[in-house]
Structures are given as C-alpha cells and as structure tokens.
Amino acid sequence: EKGTYPHFMLKEIDEQPIVMRKIIKEYQDEHNELKLDANIRQAMKAADRIYIIAAGTSYHAGLVGKEFMEKLAKIPVEVHVASEFSYNMPLLSERPLFVFISQSGETADSRSVLVKIKEMGHPALTITNVPGSTLSREADYTLHLYAGPEIAVASTKAYTAQIAVLAILAVDTAKVKGLELDFDPMQELGIVANAMDVLTGQKEELEQLTRDYLATTRNAFFIGRSADYNVALEGALKLKEISYIQAEGFAGGELKHGTIALIEEGTPVIALATQANVNYSIRGNVQEVVARGANAMIISMKGLEQDDDAFVLPPVHELLTPLVSVVPLQLLAYYAALHRGCDVDKPRNLAKSVTVE
Ligand code: M6R
C-alpha cells in the first residue's frame, strides 16, 4: 500500500535508508561478523572470473558491483546485458561463476542466459528481491535483497539494495580469500543510510532544481567519470523511463568524441562529482559544455564541492557514493515526470517485469 504517498515510486525512494539498515541486520551474525551461506563463499573463492548478467537498472547495479569485486576481492568481473550475452557469448574463463542480478527474478533475457550456462555446467548465483522467483529457483545459490516489494515500474530501492548486497559479497569474498581490507562494510553502509535520510529530506530543493533544469527540455545529459559514470547511466535511464525526456549518460571524457555536438543553448547537463581523483577532470568537462551554452548542474560530494555546485551530497566512503548520488537523480526524475503530467508509477510501454525475450 502507498499509504499517504501519492506514488509508489516516492515511497520506495524514501524507504531506501530503511532497506540499508535491514540489509546490515540480515547479513550480520550475533558477533557482528558477515553472515553468508558457506556454499556461496566456496563458489566465490573457486571462481577465476565472475560474469554478472542483468538488464536495465540491475545491469547498472552490476557495473557498480564490478568495481567492488575487483577492488576489494581482486576477482576479475565482466558485466553483460543479458539479451546480448544470450546470443553472442564471449569466451569464458576456466572456472566462471555467473551472478544474475534481478529485482523480480523473472526477467526472461536473464533466464535465457541462466538456462544456457546451466546446460554448460557452470555455477550460478542469483541476487534477487524475490527468493522464490524463477531465477532464484533455477540458480545454485540465492542472495536476498530484503528491499520489500517494489511496485513502481522505475526501480529505485532495488538498485541501492543490489549495490549494498554486492558490497557485502565483495568484502566477504575478500575475507574468505584472506585479503587485508581497510573497509568495514556495515559501518560504511550505516553512514550511507544516514546520508540517505538527509537526502530524502531535501525534496523541496530537488523539486526546485527540476524546475530550473528540466521543466521544458526535450533532452538532457548525465555525465560522470569512474564510479559517477555508472550512476550517470542510471540517472539517465530513470529520467527517460518516467518523464519521456530523451536522456543519455556519458563518461565525461567521452563527450568530446562526438556527443558534445548535441549541446545547444540551454541543454541540461547534470554532472556528478563524487570522486576525488577525477574531480578536476569532470569539472573541466562541465566547463567545456558550459562554453557551448549548456545549463549545467553539478552534484558534488561534501569535501569535493565548489561554490557554484547546485547540490552537495553528504560524505560517504568513496566506493559507496553510487548509493547516495543516485537518490537526487531518482528524485529529479520523479519530479520531472510529475510536472509533465506523466504516469509516474506506470510509464507508457513498460511492464514491471519483462517476461518476454
Ligand atoms: O527485475 P529485473 O531487475 O530483472 O528487471 C530488469 C529491468 O527490466 C529493470 O531494471 C528496468 O530497467 C527498470 N524498469 C528500470 O527502472
């Protein structure tokens, strides 16, 4: 039930801090140690390469998960769009582990890959919000997202839950492999939950930014580098899916290789700046588009902010910034859709779970 909320999407955005705390609780034992199935640990340890398979927003969460897995657990990861992998399979490593990320657990494109790789005899882990779902039943192992039912077609709390669970899985794997880590995922996710509380309290500010940047536009660009690039892709998908504004996510440095040709007087460019090592260069990309007339909005993180930034995020661990930077993008998409009179929870042409290939 939506309760007092006008839309499920808004309710689900607001639930994100609660979901973070639920995940912290569910993946911890009574001694505050990470709690994961021994078989999953074994499978993660045995794998020489991980193949993440997903679609849409879950694919975007997979891109963030790749960074965790490679930086923390030191396992190479490939992230694939399910519908592509299915018919154009890459060369596989000797001991692959397939990780399916799916809110619904019913996405046909992902299932088609699962069927194929099971026939080949490879192990599979499904990360899903619906433990009894097809992808969960047909895989060898399941990790639960604990996000609660997600009703709005636009995925919000499932995305952040997927990223949180992937962070826990990466740290757990690092520990199982005996790697030294200077990163306590539960403590850091607790900081994220508090930051999300702050962000969901800033709706008026974000509604105003939507008016300033997205009120009448036909198109919009999201740019970022490194971790911010992954979130830029998700921000663009959210916006196009529910407000029907043509939106694209780009790597900041790639703009000048073609896309910058599209920038005109007033084109909105939303830039994320949460990563210290690329803060200077993403701001350079913003100057390049502003020089061509763009209406640029910088969303930065406390500690990296500059005077004219439109919105400053509360600070969280550098690896976990996608969990907070996505929240204002979800809200910008929500208000853009609302102001344009779109059906926020049930956008045209879309279904909540895509059960056809
Ligand atoms: O249930 P799944 O996570 O497998 O769904 C995958 C995509 O269909 C889904 O994320 C879709 O892109 C959302 N509508 C995006 O908000």
Side-chain angles (χ1 to χ4, degrees):
E1 259 317 300
K2 336 194 249 249
T4 53
Y5 281 93
H7 298 100
F8 281 108
M9 185 183 178
L10 195 62
K11 174 172 179 267
E12 290 161 5
I13 290 172
D14 271 7
E15 282 170 350
Q16 293 179 104
I18 304 165
V19 174
M20 290 298 113
R21 294 186 183 108
K22 172 86 174 155
I23 290 171
I24 293 171
K25 194 168 144 259
E26 294 292 341
Y27 282 98
Q28 227 168 184
D29 67 13
E30 61 278 17
H31 310 292
N32 294 343
E33 297 292 338
L34 295 184
K35 190 171 74 181
L36 249 91
D37 182 346
N39 293 322
I40 296 180
R41 288 188 164 145
Q42 189 46 42
M44 291 294 294
K45 199 175 169 194
D48 65 352
R49 183 173 287 253
I50 288 173
Y51 294 81
I52 293 181
I53 310 291
T57 286
S58 297
Y59 169 75
H60 294 155
L63 297 174
V64 179
K66 169 185 164 78
E67 287 210 28
F68 298 159
M69 220 53 89
E70 295 193 337
K71 288 188 175 141
L72 299 168
K74 312 284 180 208
I75 309 182
V77 179
E78 292 179 23
V79 193
H80 292 272
V81 166
S83 56
E84 281 299 306
F85 191 97
S86 203
Y87 298 98
N88 190 10
M89 208 178 277
L91 265 185
L92 299 181
S93 65
E94 274 177 34
R95 287 172 285 116
L97 171 65
F98 282 81
V99 175
F100 293 85
I101 306 179
S102 176
Q103 189 284 131
S104 63
E106 301 297 342
T107 298
D109 289 325
S110 299
R111 174 155 191 256
S112 140
V113 178
L114 176 57
V115 169
K116 286 184 180 140
I117 63 101
K118 287 315 297 173
E119 277 168 15
M120 296 164 80
H122 298 309
L125 160 67
T126 290
I127 302 180
T128 183
N129 206 21
V130 187
S133 58
T134 307
L135 287 172
S136 167
R137 283 185 277 109
E138 295 182 0
D140 302 279
Y141 323 103
T142 295
L143 284 175
H144 189 183
L145 293 174
Y146 297 104
E150 191 183 64
I151 310 292
V153 164
S155 184
T156 54
K157 62 177 179 172
Y159 172 80
T160 44
Q162 287 162 348
I163 291 174
V165 169
L166 286 162
I168 291 169
L169 179 64
V171 172
D172 189 80
T173 304
K175 288 195 173 156
V176 170
K177 288 174 72 178
L179 302 173
E180 286 287 320
L181 279 191
D182 182 20
F183 178 77
D184 175 347
M186 297 318 194
Q187 190 186 329
E188 299 299 343
L189 287 172
I191 294 171
V192 164
N194 295 342
M196 285 173 161
D197 277 329
V198 173
L199 292 168
T200 54
Q202 289 178 296
K203 295 196 182 70
E204 274 175 31
E205 219 172 314
L206 288 159
E207 188 169 9
Q208 186 56 50
L209 286 172
T210 309
R211 278 196 209 96
D212 295 345
Y213 288 86
L214 300 170
T216 55
T217 190
R218 290 182 52 216
N219 60 0
F221 294 93
F222 291 77
I223 63 170
R225 286 174 174 251
S226 165
D228 291 334
Y229 169 39
N230 297 329
V231 184
L233 296 175
E234 173 59 8
L237 176 59
K238 277 301 81 88
L239 187 67
K240 60 187 144 189
E241 173 173 39
I242 58 170
S243 77
Y244 316 140
I245 295 171
Q246 166 130 36
E248 296 303 330
F250 274 95
E254 188 66 9
L255 271 182
K256 60 181 174 298
H257 297 288
T259 311
I260 202 165
L262 291 170
I263 304 291
E264 295 173 345
E265 198 58 41
T267 305
V269 176
I270 298 163
L272 295 174
T274 74
Q275 302 293 306
N277 66 333
V278 289
N279 195 28
Y280 179 79
S281 34
I282 190 69
R283 288 172 186 281
N285 299 137
V286 170
Q287 283 170 6
E288 289 155 14
V289 292
V290 167
R292 274 100 184 160
N295 187 17
M297 174 203 303
I298 298 184
I299 299 180
S300 62
M301 182 153 286
K302 186 89 193 134
L304 298 175
E305 81 275 26
Q306 290 186 10
D307 281 351
D308 292 335
D309 292 355
F311 194 84
V312 181
L313 301 158
V316 300
H317 191 285
E318 190 167 58
L319 278 174
L320 300 184
T321 59
L323 290 170
V324 294
S325 59
V326 78
V327 178
L329 305 188
Q330 294 167 343
L331 284 163
L332 288 175
Y334 173 78
Y335 287 115
L338 194 68
H339 291 192
R340 287 164 178 252
C342 304
D343 187 344
V344 172
D345 283 340
K346 286 197 171 56
R348 70 186 181 207
N349 308 345
L350 290 170
K352 179 61 183 165
S353 49
V354 185
T355 53
V356 289
E357 271 184 58

